[in-house]
């Protein structure tokens, strides 16, 4: 078993770099921080268990007034191991660039510490964390029911800002070479990704960020052009048809299907230099370690918001996103580890979560926690799905 030795060595090196050299991003010279970052990368790849004593995590969160949206999302994030361990070890204090106190990250970590307390608390009060969140995102003040997906996006964005390894204002580097048309697609995508990491690089990015490719094909001159965008979740449309059950695959197919754009709605063709009839397709260029899939149940029309109650069935152990990736990328397998549910109507709803641990699946309904059989996960209330890349399953 040579692996633990390597892990231990890396860890010890990291620790001594931090402890003895007083390694702070502000004071570190480039070579040291490069070494440090590479070592942290190795640790991340090794996906080792944190050296911290953990409770069961089967602990509820108190509802402090319409906060079920927050409770459900926090339970899902609390079961995102790469994030949980990063918080509990407070590794972000060493990695973050900003000198400002990471108020929200500390408050979030405080909640996770309660949920994973070895003593096994009865129930955790998320009040301090919610206050810190509302200070960071005033839009969420007030007592009305909030959308869990919106909350998740804001939360990850604010946490990222606090623990970013890059300075807040970093001038974008010039990547003129990408403008040459001859450059290969993969190189173009990689250059865009590198540029993103120059400004935005954190554990949130390590875990949740991927890259979407939008390819545009002009039907007049056959010119192809690509744009790449960073994403932190996939928001999928639910196909409208008379049946009461659709599959996640059908939602993904709809998301990634070739879309016809008539000349008025299409962007300018680079070659024709005018708007032409075109087709557009979205694919995943770079797969994140954790993919958050939002089933877009709410449709906003001119006068109202309506909710789709179609049951979307989803795979639990083998979600293959390969067909939505680059050509010939082979199977890309993900494993489900958390689901956020929304029951009720647009205005009177309730959020709950199911999360997986070594003992199976647990149903988190605010302060109550109970075991749930895997075959009861599928429901017309499933709203946000959390999948982890199954690195053991990658066979190229
Ligand atoms: Zn054209």
């Amino acid at each position: 078993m040579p692996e633990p030795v390597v892990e231990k060595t890396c860890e010890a090196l990291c620790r001594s770099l931090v402890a003895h050299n007083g390694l702070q991003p502000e004071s570190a010279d480039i070579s040291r921080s490069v070494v440090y970052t590479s070592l942290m990368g190795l640790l991340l790849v090794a996906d080792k268990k944190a050296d911290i004593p953990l409770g069961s995590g089967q602990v509820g969160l108190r509802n402090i007034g319409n906060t079920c949206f927050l409770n459900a999302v926090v339970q899902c994030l609390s079961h995102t191991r790469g994030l949980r361990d990063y918080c509990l070890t407070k590794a972000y204090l060493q990695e973050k660039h900003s000198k400002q106190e990471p108020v929200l990250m500390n408050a979030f970590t405080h909640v996770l510490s309660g949920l994973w307390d070895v003593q096994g608390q009865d129930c955790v009060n998320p009040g301090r964390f919610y206050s810190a969140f509302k200070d960071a995102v005033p839009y969420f003040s007030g007592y009305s029911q909030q959308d869990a997906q919106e909350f998740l996006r804001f939360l990850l964005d604010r946490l990222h800002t606090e623990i970013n390894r890059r300075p807040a204002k970093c001038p974008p580097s010039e990547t003129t070479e990408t403008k040459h048309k001859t450059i290969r697609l993969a190189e173009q995508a990689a250059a865009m990704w590198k540029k993103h990491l120059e400004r935005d690089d954190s554990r949130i990015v390590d875990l949740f960020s991927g890259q979407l490719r939008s390819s545009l094909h002009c039907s007049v001159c056959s010119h192809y052009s690509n744009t790449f965008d960073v994403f932190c979740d996939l928001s999928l449309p639910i196909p409208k048809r008379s049946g009461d059950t659709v599959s996640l695959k059908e939602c993904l197919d709809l998301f990634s299907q070739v879309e016809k754009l008539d000349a008025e709605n299409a962007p300018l063709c680079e070659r024709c230099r005018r708007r032409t009839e075109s087709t557009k397709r979205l694919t995943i260029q770079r797969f994140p370690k954790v993919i958050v899939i939002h089933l877009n149940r709410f449709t906003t029309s001119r006068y109202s918001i309506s909710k789709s109650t179609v049951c979307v069935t989803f795979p639990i152990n083998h979600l293959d996103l390969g067909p939505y990736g680059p050509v010939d990328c082979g199977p890309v397998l993900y494993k489900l580890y958390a689901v956020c549910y929304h029951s009720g109507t647009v205005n009177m709803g309730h959020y709950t979560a199911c999360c997986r641990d070594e003992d199976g699946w647990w149903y988190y309904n605010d302060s109550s926690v109970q075991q749930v059989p895997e075959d009861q996960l599928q429901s017309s209330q499933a709203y946000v799905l959390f999948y982890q890349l199954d690195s053991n399953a990658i066979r190229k």
Side-chain angles (χ1 to χ4, degrees), residues 336-350:
L336 187 74
Y337 70 90
V339 184
C340 171
Y341 297 90
H342 180 268
S343 61
T345 62
V346 175
N347 298 312
M348 288 285 288
H350 183 54

Side-chain angles (χ1 to χ4, degrees), residues 29-75:
D29 63 37
I30 289 165
S31 59
R32 267 189 208 159
S33 53
V34 166
V35 170
Y36 182 71
T37 312
S38 324
L39 287 170
M40 288 311 284
L42 280 176
L43 288 178
L44 183 70
V45 171
D47 201 21
K48 64 186 280 293
K49 284 196 171 167
D51 259 352
I52 31 171
L54 290 174
S56 68
Q58 293 149 13
V59 174
L61 284 161
R62 185 164 300 150
N63 190 321
I64 50 172
N66 284 325
T67 53
C68 57
F69 71 93
L70 174 145
N71 292 349
V73 167
V74 168
Q75 291 291 1

Side-chain angles (χ1 to χ4, degrees), residues 16-161:
S16 69
L17 272 174
V18 174
H20 302 299
N21 297 321
L23 188 71
Q24 294 294 319
E26 293 87 11
S27 64
D29 63 37
I30 289 165
S31 59
R32 267 189 208 159
S33 53
V34 166
V35 170
Y36 182 71
T37 312
S38 324
L39 287 170
M40 288 311 284
L42 280 176
L43 288 178
L44 183 70
V45 171
D47 201 21
K48 64 186 280 293
K49 284 196 171 167
D51 259 352
I52 31 171
L54 290 174
S56 68
Q58 293 149 13
V59 174
L61 284 161
R62 185 164 300 150
N63 190 321
I64 50 172
N66 284 325
T67 53
C68 57
F69 71 93
L70 174 145
N71 292 349
V73 167
V74 168
Q75 291 291 1
C76 295
L77 292 178
S78 165
H79 286 78
T80 305
R81 287 190 189 177
L83 181 63
R84 177 197 69 188
D85 296 352
Y86 190 70
C87 290
L88 296 183
T89 55
K90 299 217 169 163
Y92 57 91
L93 294 175
Q94 268 79 46
E95 286 199 337
K96 71 185 185 68
H97 184 276
S98 165
K99 283 176 182 154
Q100 279 182 348
E101 196 196 335
V103 178
L104 186 62
M105 189 68 177
N106 284 340
F108 179 66
T109 297
H110 183 73
V111 172
L112 295 195
S113 309
L115 293 175
W116 292 93
D117 187 5
V118 195
Q119 308 295 324
Q121 295 189 19
D122 228 22
C123 179
V124 170
N125 186 331
R128 183 186 138 196
F129 165 63
Y130 191 31
S131 302
F133 179 76
K134 285 189 290 190
D135 287 345
V137 188
Y139 168 71
F140 270 80
S141 297
Y143 292 92
S144 63
Q145 178 68 253
Q146 304 282 359
D147 181 74
Q149 168 68 5
E150 227 168 32
F151 169 70
L152 174 66
R153 280 191 177 178
F154 275 113
L155 176 60
L156 292 182
D157 179 73
R158 294 307 191 276
L159 291 178
H160 161 71
T161 306

Side-chain angles (χ1 to χ4, degrees), residues 156-157 160-161 164-175 178 187-212 228-233 286 288:
L156 292 182
D157 179 73
H160 161 71
T161 306
N164 198 350
R165 298 170 187 128
R166 307 290 175 196
K169 284 179 192 133
C170 175
S173 69
E174 286 299 320
T175 46
T178 60
E187 288 167 18
Q188 198 186 341
M192 290 301 289
W193 183 255
K194 191 170 160 258
K195 202 171 165 182
H196 174 67
L197 289 184
E198 281 171 15
R199 307 183 69 160
D200 291 288
D201 181 14
S202 72
R203 176 55 63 100
I204 303 290
V205 174
D206 297 341
L207 291 169
F208 296 96
S209 292
Q211 197 179 33
L212 270 186
F228 299 97
D229 291 298
V230 174
F231 72 94
C232 284
D233 58 63
R286 187 185 180 92

Side-chain angles (χ1 to χ4, degrees), residues 57 203 226 238 268 335 367 373 378:
R203 176 55 63 100
N226 292 288
I238 300 176
L268 290 180
K335 203 172 169 176
S367 54
Q378 311 278 346

